Amino acid sequence: MARRRQSVTIKHVAADAGVSLQTVSRVINKEPNVRPEMLERVQASIDKLGYVPSIAAQRMSGSRSYLIMALNDRERTIADWRKREGTDWVDQMLLGGMLKCAEHGYRLIVELIDTHSDHIERELRAAIAALQPDGVILTPPHSQNPAILELLDEHKISVARIGSLCEGPGFRLTMDDDHAARLATEHLVALGHRRIGFIGGDPEYELSAWRVEGWKAAMADAGLDIDGLLTEGDFGYESGRAAAERLLSADVGATAIIGSADQLQAVMEYARNRGLTIPRDLSLVSFDDTPIVRFAHPPLTAVHQPIAEVAEAAVELIIEQQRRKKPATEPRIVAASLIIRESTGPAPGTA
């Protein structure tokens, strides 16, 4: 029977580099104040020996767990998975968060928590006990949930809150949703549209109100009336269908509509059933740049939310705090942008 190959440990690296275990640990954990020549010597030994740091060993060596946990809404996430549409938000969060964690020897784990569950505190306590994360990334609407914020603060866990500016512990990050709504509205105004409808998102999300504010501000700047052009929604297909019936009625007469991806699927279907052509008769802008938006017919003009980038920033803030640094407490803005595609065109009668 072949002998099992002996694992390379931190002791082997220290012996090969001729340094202490503490020095190797500081290099592995990317701690500050390591002399460049020492860093180079230890890294050379790590590369030569093929040493791979063990999170278990790292956790035993100090108070950090080297794990960051991201919370996302269970109901919405699982619903999208079951529809086999994926969840672009989760995918992009994993892309940015996991890569940034890997740069610093951390791991990112996603946990799904029921937003409206009576057991939300119990679920979160169980996750904290099992993982003992150094930090938690909260996505909407968890990022503004007082019960979650109080529990994490009680456990003295670093928190990065995406899409929330409300008072409370942790770092606050936004994608400048109000400005993004302005960009979308100004694009439509420039195309000659005067009746620009807006389908609101779930009111539980702070960012839903920010988007409405941005749309209202852009309409006001253009001197345009908004009477009848705002409809309530919940980011879902059914709210898009109800909004389409109202906004495309003769009484309202919208020639352009801004909404989320699922909402606009319903709007497109309703418009086509009425014999309307996009963008000749109706222009559409999505507030999500998901695959269903990009592969729609025609492809939709969309607000691109930099989810991967904001997840990177969230990870960086948590790790900086873990290293006893003091990151800025002002909200971090990672601005969204507008991607123009074939779903927007000149307002009817202006071409």
Side-chain angles (χ1 to χ4, degrees):
M1 182 183 295
R3 292 185 62 188
R4 184 178 178 182
R5 185 177 177 184
Q6 184 180 15
S7 297
V8 177
T9 69
I10 190 173
K11 292 182 180 179
H12 296 114
V13 174
D16 186 80
V19 300
S20 67
L21 292 174
Q22 183 181 17
T23 297
V24 177
S25 178
R26 290 172 61 197
V27 171
I28 292 169
N29 296 327
K30 302 183 186 299
E31 294 182 6
N33 304 320
V34 178
R35 297 199 309 274
E37 62 271 18
M38 195 63 70
L39 175 62
E40 185 177 340
R41 186 197 304 180
V42 173
Q43 190 59 54
S45 294
I46 288 173
D47 295 341
K48 182 176 78 172
L49 299 175
Y51 172 69
V52 178
S54 160
I55 279 191
Q58 287 176 296
R59 295 178 76 161
M60 286 190 296
S61 66
S63 60
R64 282 185 276 170
S65 69
Y66 296 91
L67 292 176
I68 293 176
M69 179 171 69
L71 295 187
N72 209 54
D73 180 29
R74 175 182 285 138
E75 184 176 348
R76 290 184 188 277
T77 303
I78 292 178
D80 285 342
W81 282 340
R82 284 179 172 158
K83 287 187 294 184
R84 305 189 73 176
E85 293 178 356
T87 51
D88 200 55
W89 177 282
V90 175
D91 294 345
Q92 291 299 306
M93 184 173 63
L94 288 173
L95 171 63
M98 290 180 75
L99 292 180
K100 183 56 64 174
C101 278
E103 286 181 22
H104 299 279
Y106 277 70
R107 295 293 184 272
L108 180 72
I109 295 178
V110 174
E111 287 284 316
L112 303 180
I113 301 291
D114 281 329
T115 302
H116 301 292
S117 171
D118 294 335
H119 309 300
I120 189 168
E121 185 174 339
R122 187 176 68 190
E123 288 184 25
L124 186 52
R125 285 187 185 278
I128 291 172
L131 300 173
Q132 299 177 3
D134 287 338
V136 172
I137 299 173
L138 297 178
T139 58
H142 299 317
S143 48
Q144 65 196 67
N145 186 311
I148 292 177
L149 294 175
E150 288 172 12
L151 181 57
L152 295 174
D153 191 46
E154 172 191 326
H155 284 78
K156 302 189 184 317
I157 295 174
S158 297
V159 182
R161 298 160 46 201
I162 297 175
S164 175
L165 293 176
C166 70
E167 290 299 317
F171 308 108
R172 296 170 293 172
L173 303 97
T174 80
M175 289 176 274
D176 214 2
D177 292 79
D178 55 341
H179 180 65
R182 269 183 170 273
L183 290 177
T185 308
E186 288 167 355
H187 168 63
L188 294 168
V189 169
L191 290 171
H193 292 276
R194 296 296 176 264
R195 299 294 289 166
I196 302 170
F198 195 96
I199 309 176
D202 191 327
E204 285 191 320
Y205 292 59
E206 279 183 67
L207 53 80
S208 294
W210 302 340
R211 295 175 182 181
V212 171
E213 289 168 7
W215 166 74
K216 285 182 175 179
M219 294 289 280
D221 288 348
L224 299 178
D225 182 25
I226 62 171
D227 185 42
L229 290 169
L230 175 63
T231 64
E232 294 183 359
D234 60 4
F235 298 127
Y237 181 93
E238 293 303 324
S239 71
R241 171 79 185 188
E245 291 184 23
R246 176 179 169 184
L247 293 173
L248 297 179
S249 67
D251 292 339
V252 178
T255 63
I257 296 175
I258 303 169
S260 71
D262 284 352
Q263 292 169 339
L264 291 185
Q265 284 187 76
V267 173
M268 292 176 80
E269 182 181 301
Y270 181 83
R272 284 175 177 146
N273 288 340
R274 286 191 46 184
L276 301 177
T277 300
I278 298 166
R280 186 188 66 195
D281 304 310
L282 176 67
S283 288
L284 299 176
V285 179
S286 170
F287 229 103
D288 302 292
D289 190 27
T290 63
I292 60 173
V293 163
R294 297 191 290 273
F295 297 119
H297 182 69
L300 297 178
T301 293
V303 171
H304 171 71
Q305 300 182 79
I307 302 165
E309 291 82 356
V310 81
E312 285 185 17
V315 167
E316 285 180 338
L317 288 167
I318 289 172
I319 292 176
E320 284 178 11
Q321 189 172 59
Q322 289 299 305
R323 291 178 175 168
R324 304 297 187 267
K325 294 183 180 180
K326 293 184 178 180
T329 56
E330 291 299 313
R332 178 79 63 91
I333 297 174
V334 185
S337 58
L338 185 68
I339 299 176
I340 299 173
R341 299 193 180 99
E342 293 95 301
S343 70
T344 51
T350 63

